[in-house]
Amino acid sequence: MESLLIQLLNGLASASTLFLMASGLSLIFGVSRIVNFAHGSFYMLGLYVACTAAGWLQTIVPQYDVLAYWGAVCLSGMLVAVLGYAIERGVLRRLYAQPELMQLLSSFALVLIIRDAALAIFGAEDLLGPRAPGLAGYVNLFDRRFPVYDLFLIAVGPVVLASLWLLLKRSAWGLCVRAASEDRDMCALLGVNQPRLMASVFALGSALAALAGALQMPREPAHLALDLQVVGDAFVVVVVGGLGSIPGAFLASLFIGVTKALCAWAGTLHVFGIELAMSKLTLVVEFIIMALVLMIRPWGLMGKALTSPRLLHRPETAPAPLQRSQGMLIVIAIVVASMVIGLAGPNDYGLVLGIDIMLMVMLATSLHWMMSAAGLHSFGHAAYFGAGAYAAALISLKLKWGFLASVLLAPWIAAMLAMIFASACIRLSGVYLAMLTLAFAQIVWSVIYQWDDVAGGSNGLVGVWPEGVFADRRVFALVVFAILIITIYVIRRMHQSYWALALRAARDAPLRLQAQGVAREPLQWFAFVSAAWLAGLAGALFAFSKGSIAPDLLSISRSVDILVMVLLGGLQSVWGPLWGGLSLTLLQDWLARDWDYWRGMLGVMLLGLVLLWPGGLSALKLFSRRQV
């Protein structure tokens, strides 16, 4: 019981930090409806600035440790609030009328920019902050020691909740925020200065994230991977509690924090002779909770259903037939590419890069199919890519069935995994659908990451090479090229089919489709599963092209990369995945080789594309003709 009490207190301390960060994200989404992927970057910056400022202030006023520590915490919140204000005024304000997915792409670009800016300013090494003066000791609870600082963190959550409640309920500014969250257009008609209100809300939300990071100085070091590491947990809290609901975020953070503490306390259980390692669930229990909540109550515990997503650049109605000259150019390009592959050296770097590009185009095509025709948005598409890769590797290494059998069977295993998730996913739409796919992907990642006996755990699997004639990299590249050509042709014909026409009707006018007696769910279910099948095929080929695989194939960052490729190419053309996969892979390769801060450069380019050509590369005049 003493151990249980300590673990519950640890869970409450973690829940308080989660709420402090998630409250800012929920506040921003409630007014602006922006899914801010850069919120984790503000948390990371808050910790970096606090650690640096605390050391600087201690050299100035060494006799006042309390002033140095809490001054650093306050300075961190203020500086990040100013940065958030500038980002809202300079970037995000221009994107409020854009589709939610383009806003997501811009916020991911900000993640890349802020991470490399932090690398340039603070360096690559972890930064350690000082202990909180006066709170560095511990208290005895049933002969167990518990940090005083964690008791302080437990009290922070309710104080922040009460402060936000008073601010939103008892102030004129809070009244305007609540009005804007209910109906932004009517709020503007009543004379509320919308730009000023948006900027102030974003600054406050950024400050809350920075304070959540700054308060972690005694508990963890500042490092560059914090941004994506914490933003997933914040999204879970906000979605479980209900998008835009501050009390819902508080309730969800308590529930998740206590549940993780109970899993850590339970350790290993034996149920009917089966050993259950409950402590391993701490990596994924929050995503299990989110999946269960979204399946039972799609808008969260205390949220409400959102309006339909904005589609400023609506995907195509049907690809137009190719002209004769266009068909000839495509045939010539295929012949030239085949000759280049055949004449290349087996160890040429260009051949390796070309295989990567083809596989990324295939992977982007799979997600583009379900997003454009079916209107199903996914933040967890890497789950099927990784499932195909691991299935092919296990069939090759464990069963010794060879390259062809592995590549033929792996996509069906990925499709079977998608069948399990599809029925729950297609019931939702917009942000909630994307978050449910993210939850399922993280569950699969957790299983792979901790399955040491079969999947190799965090080390992955090695020695996954094709045999026989396929061991020649040129032959392997020709096989991948042929599969890519067939994939693009089949997807193009699928876009021209009556099935795709019914999918577009389900996407654009679901009530009219239902009135005509056509069921929406089977159409979208098959689109979801077929996209997962193609992603699994790309994953199987990827495993044999690299010779080894690791759990990062199923990570959040991989799913974001796939989504970026689709949005970079554009949803309005079936050629979008080609331009997106080609350009992003080449940009990453070129920038990573020639620039120290290549992520920031890539983020600047992505941000420029979103601001100048929000429809993606296929919306440019060079590619905008309906020749798809």
Side-chain angles (χ1 to χ4, degrees), residues 394-457:
L394 291 173
I395 292 172
S396 176
L397 295 176
K398 306 294 184 181
L399 301 180
K400 308 295 183 183
W401 284 5
F403 169 74
L404 283 178
S406 302
V407 171
L408 290 175
L409 290 175
W412 296 103
I413 296 176
M416 291 174 61
L417 180 66
M419 292 178 188
I420 300 173
F421 300 150
S423 298
C425 290
I426 61 175
R427 295 174 55 246
L428 307 179
S429 62
V431 176
Y432 294 115
L433 167 62
M435 289 301 164
L436 185 57
T437 58
L438 173 64
F440 286 142
Q442 285 301 105
I443 293 171
V444 177
W445 169 84
S446 174
V447 172
I448 295 295
Y449 185 80
Q450 300 180 91
W451 202 356
D452 296 327
D453 297 336
V454 176

Side-chain angles (χ1 to χ4, degrees), residues 72-84:
V73 171
C74 296
L75 183 63
S76 172
M78 289 187 292
L79 290 179
V80 176
V82 172
L83 176 63

Side-chain angles (χ1 to χ4, degrees), residues 40 45 90 107 110 205 212-213 243 328 386 544 577 601 607:
L45 282 180
S107 65
L110 290 173
L243 290 170
M328 290 299 297
F544 282 103
M601 292 295 298
L607 195 58

